[in-house]
Amino acid sequence: MKTELKALIFDVDGTLANTERDGHRVAFNAAFDEYGIDWHWDVDMYGKLLAVTGGKERMKFYASEFLHNQNLPDNFDTLVPELHAAKTLHYTELLSTGAIPLRPGVERLLQEARTENLRLAIATTTTPENVTALLEHTLGSDSLDWFEVIAAGDIVPAKKPASDIYDYALAEMNLAAEECIVFEDSHNGILSSMGAGLATIITVNDYTVDHDFSGALLVLDTLGEPDQPFTVLQGKANNHTYMDCALLKALHNK
Ligand code: XBP
Ligand code: MG
């Protein structure tokens, strides 16, 4: 007899909402402008930079990988956290305009999971303020309480693809990996969740559609809606056309 499905754990960036191209990227560029730094990350370059999770880590990766640490701004190492704080302000301001909606099916599935008493959590590398801003401006302030644990940012020493953030969320909820299903969107994300032993459903986006999702429970284009069916890219969805708790329980029991 398999264990009962008790909780759903969600990644944020790329999974709850497509925040990278029109959110984080734009905010990084605004912070560079604010500080008079002549860096501009276009859509293609930003895709390459997503190889590294975490904004501070991403700036250092850009400096080493693409600029070979040449001609960097003065005091670059101490500037990075400052630039990152400025970027977080630009990002949260952008979200407060309602610029970035949730992906299809996300709100419906969260609501259904609450009705069915499935426990909810978040595990992300992004800064905690960014999660709060996204939830508040899409689902309303009350939605922060829907999540028993919001594991985010520098709370653990190693960001995804390390499993630390998922290990942390499981420990906080006192749950075994077998009792949960994770929603992710990227290769680094699934490496992290599978590293913690967690079954993982993927919804891809433009930046991650070609990633390796070996071992995923299911790979979809979106979670789908009753009038907006998902496309199954890998795995079997038992003739369902959108993600709901019945499909989650069936997948969990397999
Ligand atoms: C998300 C990220 C984040 C954001 C930026 O990865 O890599 O770093 O791009 O957030 P995942 P910060 O979805 O796999 O958790 O700038 O706040 O670090
Ligand atoms: Mg992600």
Side-chain angles (χ1 to χ4, degrees), residues 11-15 20 160 184-186 189:
D11 169 51
V12 175
D13 296 306
T15 300
E20 295 289 8
K160 299 175 189 177
E184 269 287 355
D185 73 302
S186 70

Side-chain angles (χ1 to χ4, degrees), residues 10-17 19-20 24-25 27-28 46 49-59 84-85 87-88 91 123-131 151 153-154 159-161 165-166 184-190 192:
F10 290 83
D11 169 51
V12 175
D13 296 306
T15 300
L16 293 186
T19 49
E20 295 289 8
H24 290 293
R25 185 185 69 88
F28 278 113
Y46 195 69
L49 297 174
L50 285 174
V52 170
T53 65
K56 296 186 284 290
E57 294 81 353
R58 190 165 296 143
M59 285 189 266
H84 190 249
K87 176 256 165 179
T88 299
Y91 180 74
T124 174
T125 65
T126 207
T127 301
E129 293 97 296
N130 299 347
V131 183
D154 297 321
K159 293 187 174 160
K160 299 175 189 177
I165 198 75
Y166 282 104
E184 269 287 355
D185 73 302
S186 70
H187 182 58
N188 279 328
I190 195 172
S192 175

Side-chain angles (χ1 to χ4, degrees), residues 4 116 125 134 158 174 180 191 210 216 219 225-226 230 233 235 240 251:
E4 190 192 339
E116 301 243 339
T125 65
L134 181 70
N174 197 21
C180 309
L191 286 178
D210 295 323
V219 181
E225 292 283 20
F230 56 44
L233 305 174
H240 287 246
L251 291 166

Side-chain angles (χ1 to χ4, degrees), residues 4-254:
E4 190 192 339
L5 177 63
K6 291 193 179 149
L8 307 181
I9 313 177
F10 290 83
D11 169 51
V12 175
D13 296 306
T15 300
L16 293 186
N18 278 323
T19 49
E20 295 289 8
R21 190 190 67 188
D22 300 329
H24 290 293
R25 185 185 69 88
V26 172
F28 278 113
N29 287 330
F32 302 150
D33 285 351
E34 185 185 334
Y35 276 73
I37 295 169
D38 68 344
W39 294 5
H40 180 86
W41 291 349
D42 66 22
V43 171
D44 282 352
M45 170 56 78
Y46 195 69
K48 296 183 183 125
L49 297 174
L50 285 174
V52 170
T53 65
K56 296 186 284 290
E57 294 81 353
R58 190 165 296 143
M59 285 189 266
K60 289 181 187 165
F61 175 67
Y62 176 69
S64 66
E65 190 75 13
F66 294 94
L67 305 179
H68 310 289
N69 287 326
Q70 302 294 305
N71 304 317
L72 298 184
D74 290 341
N75 306 318
F76 181 61
D77 281 345
T78 50
L79 188 62
V80 163
E82 225 181 288
L83 266 175
H84 190 249
K87 176 256 165 179
T88 299
L89 278 180
H90 285 291
Y91 180 74
T92 51
E93 264 171 43
L94 187 67
L95 288 189
S96 73
T97 67
I100 311 241
L102 296 180
R103 296 192 63 186
V106 169
E107 178 168 2
R108 177 187 50 73
L109 183 63
L110 289 172
Q111 297 282 17
E112 192 193 343
R114 278 163 46 74
T115 308
E116 301 243 339
N117 291 321
L118 284 174
R119 295 161 65 184
L120 299 175
I122 277 175
T124 174
T125 65
T126 207
T127 301
E129 293 97 296
N130 299 347
V131 183
T132 308
L134 181 70
L135 293 177
E136 275 181 356
H137 295 293
T138 53
L139 297 169
S141 311
D142 290 353
S143 64
L144 292 172
D145 295 334
W146 299 1
F147 299 90
E148 196 175 317
V149 179
I150 297 183
D154 297 321
I155 201 165
V156 288
K159 293 187 174 160
K160 299 175 189 177
S163 64
D164 300 27
I165 198 75
Y166 282 104
D167 294 332
Y168 175 90
L170 286 176
E172 287 289 305
M173 289 194 292
N174 197 21
L175 284 172
E178 299 72 40
E179 297 173 304
C180 309
I181 290 181
V182 165
F183 292 86
E184 269 287 355
D185 73 302
S186 70
H187 182 58
N188 279 328
I190 195 172
L191 286 178
S192 175
S193 57
M194 283 180 42
L198 288 152
T200 305
I201 293 171
I202 299 289
T203 48
V204 300
N205 55 62
D206 286 351
Y207 277 133
T208 68
V209 66
D210 295 323
H211 285 192
D212 176 5
F213 293 118
S214 308
L217 200 53
L218 195 60
V219 181
L220 305 168
D221 62 341
T222 71
L223 294 177
E225 292 283 20
D227 60 352
Q228 203 183 327
F230 56 44
T231 300
V232 179
L233 305 174
Q234 189 182 309
K236 289 206 165 48
N238 309 345
N239 296 322
H240 287 246
T241 58
Y242 60 93
M243 181 58 62
D244 62 3
C245 291
L247 176 54
L248 285 175
K249 284 173 187 167
L251 291 166
H252 183 255
N253 271 328
K254 269 207 305 202

